[in-house]
Amino acid sequence: MSDGVQTRTLDADHCLATWDRVLIQVWRGPMTMDNLAGLERVARSFLAEQPAGAKVSTISIIERTSPPPSDEVRKGMSRVYRDLTSSMDHAIIVPEGGGFRAAIVRGVGVALSSLSPKALPFKFVESIRSAAVMVAPQLSAGSGGAGELEAAIERVRAKVAGVGTHR
């Protein structure tokens, strides 16, 4: 029986998965230009699968072990998100690690938002639960709402944790 989660990319450093109208990103290690190209491919493919006019959201969980992206990757991320903005409802970031670590992640997100002319502002929340509640109104009927989204994210996290230690 399917749990509704479709794993699109999985390795020890990250996982890209989809569930309902949500692109779930879990980053444990560094984001590289290759990872970014994969993110763009997955996002475009996922968007193409949606009914006409449907928008998707993305929730990015940045684990405490994931370092800030390089300047090259940040510029690439800005371009990717700028290109996808018209088809997205929410871009939510859940920075883990608290305090200074969360401030660094927030700073990168603010910089990315400001570099995009059609900015899709990144929203920062303190928990997966908060992200799920924010996205819930845009989920499809019968999806199970915020609770099912939260459970799907935890299944994705379990998959990436099962791959092993990141580099």
Side-chain angles (χ1 to χ4, degrees):
M1 179 175 173
S2 172
D3 62 8
V5 173
Q6 185 176 0
T7 303
R8 309 284 182 128
T9 302
L10 175 63
D11 64 29
D13 290 330
H14 79 296
C15 182
L16 303 176
T18 55
W19 178 86
D20 193 62
R21 294 181 181 151
V22 184
L23 170 61
I24 302 165
Q25 304 176 47
V26 177
W27 296 95
R28 301 181 81 201
M31 180 185 263
T32 65
M33 289 303 288
D34 286 341
N35 297 146
L36 183 59
L39 172 60
E40 184 172 18
R41 275 192 307 277
V42 166
R44 289 190 184 284
S45 173
F46 185 50
L47 288 167
E49 296 165 11
Q50 302 305 308
K55 292 191 175 208
V56 302
S57 295
T58 183
I59 297 175
S60 303
I61 295 99
I62 313 298
E63 294 188 358
R64 69 184 77 232
T65 55
S66 181
S70 68
D71 287 341
E72 177 186 29
V73 171
R74 276 195 295 267
K75 288 176 187 170
M77 287 171 68
S78 177
R79 179 193 54 78
V80 167
Y81 281 107
R82 181 186 63 234
D83 291 350
L84 299 174
T85 295
S86 65
S87 301
M88 298 187 82
D89 267 336
H90 295 289
I92 301 170
I93 299 175
V94 183
E96 296 183 335
F100 184 69
R101 170 87 175 100
I104 290 172
V105 173
R106 189 178 302 266
V108 170
V110 169
L112 289 175
S113 290
S114 68
L115 292 173
S116 300
K118 298 187 313 185
L120 173 67
F122 290 90
K123 296 174 181 98
F124 295 88
V125 297
E126 71 286 348
S127 68
I128 292 167
R129 178 71 182 155
S130 296
V133 167
M134 189 177 289
V135 170
Q138 286 75 39
L139 296 175
S140 63
S143 68
E148 284 302 315
L149 173 54
E150 190 174 4
I153 291 169
E154 289 307 321
R155 290 192 298 272
V156 171
R157 293 190 79 175
K159 287 179 185 182
V160 72
V163 172
T165 307
H166 65 88
R167 287 178 248 161

